[in-house]
Amino acid sequence: MAISRSSIIRGPAIVRMGSQSFYSKDDITVDITPETFDIVSSTGGKLSERTSDVVARITFTPVGAWTANQLTVLYPYTNPTIGGSVFGSSDTSVQVWPIDGTERFTFACGAITKMPSLIMTPAETLMGEVEITCIIANNQERSTAGSLYTYSATAAFTAAPNDERNFALSDVLTVPYTATFSGPAGWTSQIESTGGFSIDFDLQTTPIMAANIGTVDHIISGLDITCTFQPLNFTAKQLMDRLAVDGNALGKDISSAAGNLTITGGSASTPKVVLNNLRLRSAPMLYSLENLRSDDIEFFSTRPTGAGTMFTVGFGP
């Protein structure tokens, strides 16, 4: 059977969220898989499936442009309110817009439900995978056409002032990083690592369901942050002092050993990340001919009672 090459649908896209657009390092995945429940009978077994909810999830890895506007969109939970709305009182539209102008999807309401991890090393781009969850538009019936998304068979791509259509390569920053940690003597000096600093953001959300509509919101139920790296210049005593396990009774709140970690490229034009209220969770040591004394160590923080900025992302020395 003959086939025309022009009929084969393929090609990359950008993701536009609000006024910001994002290029991806690799594929963009759009998953619109309905949640279903089974209709069963004792005589016939499973007879059918029926829809119980529909949400869309868009995942991709940003190319890594480090700009203030991009960071505001990708990292919205620097000071999360437990129990607060993820989607807010007004909708933010999300578009998956192919560069060739075919088959554009515009989702009515989207929010970041997974912030990109950070890989702070000169040998890689900065960001890991991001997830955007899209739900039905605010104050809409599920049966209303376009309440979840609209589809355009052809939509010629046009550049806009805030567009990453021709993003500046100079915004993709790959620089050396060092860190400082508030705490005992020796930790506030420059911290060097063997392979850079890896930061992960574990955002926990809980969907809010309406019987006749499905998912209408998510609430924030928690945020955990971990940072791992292999230090070059820590002594075993420094690590054990920060771990604070010797001489402490079981049940002790380990937040007494907390501090703030600042990771920076060293100038006002390079990335700077500050992680607040971190505690050292693990600090394995190696006694080896070939390996360093310290293996990868892990710091973590979780949302404390009350308010407070858990982290910041931006620029600075």
Side-chain angles (χ1 to χ4, degrees):
M1 179 178 176
I3 186 169
S4 171
R5 284 187 294 272
S6 62
S7 68
I8 301 173
I9 301 172
R10 60 192 185 278
I14 65 161
V15 174
R16 179 173 288 169
M17 187 170 188
S19 64
Q20 290 298 302
S21 299
F22 299 90
Y23 264 76
S24 64
K25 287 179 64 174
D26 44 29
D27 295 345
I28 299 168
T29 300
V30 180
D31 184 4
I32 315 174
T33 303
E35 296 182 19
T36 62
F37 62 97
D38 297 339
I39 303 298
V40 299
S41 77
S42 61
T43 58
K46 180 177 176 180
L47 303 175
S48 178
E49 292 185 14
R50 297 185 181 176
T51 304
S52 59
D53 195 14
V54 183
V55 299
R57 290 182 175 85
I58 302 166
T59 56
F60 65 97
T61 301
V63 74
W66 191 268
T67 69
N69 288 334
Q70 300 271 295
L71 296 176
T72 298
V73 174
L74 293 173
Y75 299 95
Y77 308 111
T78 58
N79 187 5
T81 299
I82 302 302
S85 171
V86 169
F87 290 89
S89 58
S90 58
D91 294 338
T92 299
S93 66
V94 181
Q95 292 180 327
V96 179
W97 200 335
I99 299 302
D100 67 1
T102 64
E103 298 203 308
R104 181 185 69 185
F105 280 87
T106 300
F107 294 91
C109 178
I112 300 290
T113 47
K114 177 185 176 183
M115 294 182 288
S117 58
L118 291 172
I119 309 99
M120 305 189 74
T121 169
E124 295 185 46
T125 53
L126 275 160
M127 296 176 186
E129 184 179 80
V130 60
E131 177 188 78
I132 303 171
T133 297
C134 299
I135 62 172
I136 189 172
N138 189 37
N139 200 28
Q140 289 289 318
E141 295 287 349
R142 177 66 68 176
S143 57
T144 301
S147 58
L148 180 62
Y149 67 83
T150 56
Y151 167 81
S152 302
T154 57
F157 191 92
T158 55
N162 290 322
D163 213 321
E164 294 272 307
R165 177 71 171 94
N166 297 299
F167 68 91
L169 190 59
S170 58
D171 287 335
V172 181
L173 303 176
T174 52
V175 300
Y177 296 96
T178 57
T180 56
F181 191 87
S182 60
W187 283 62
T188 52
S189 62
Q190 181 171 288
I191 300 169
E192 297 283 352
S193 69
T194 61
F197 303 85
S198 296
I199 304 168
D200 291 301
F201 304 93
D202 179 17
L203 178 71
Q204 300 108 48
T205 68
T206 303
I208 302 299
M209 305 292 292
N212 297 330
I213 299 174
T215 302
V216 293
D217 199 357
H218 281 223
I219 61 170
I220 299 171
S221 52
L223 175 61
D224 297 334
I225 302 174
T226 59
C227 179
T228 59
F229 62 94
Q230 185 181 30
L232 277 167
N233 55 339
F234 281 168
T235 66
K237 184 179 187 306
Q238 286 175 316
L239 290 171
M240 292 304 102
D241 287 347
R242 177 53 62 175
L243 200 57
V245 291
D246 185 52
N248 286 321
L250 298 182
K252 180 179 174 60
D253 184 356
I254 63 172
S255 63
S256 60
N260 301 335
L261 183 69
T262 300
I263 307 168
T264 177
S267 73
S269 61
T270 59
K272 178 180 179 180
V273 175
V274 180
L275 306 176
N276 296 320
N277 198 38
L278 287 181
R279 283 89 83 188
L280 185 61
R281 176 149 57 189
S282 65
M285 292 176 289
L286 300 174
Y287 289 79
S288 165
L289 176 65
E290 298 180 350
N291 297 304
L292 298 179
R293 176 60 48 82
S294 176
D295 201 356
D296 286 351
I297 65 175
E298 181 182 87
F299 287 90
F300 82 102
S301 68
T302 191
R303 191 69 176 115
T305 302
T309 300
M310 291 187 69
F311 70 99
T312 60
V313 290
F315 294 88

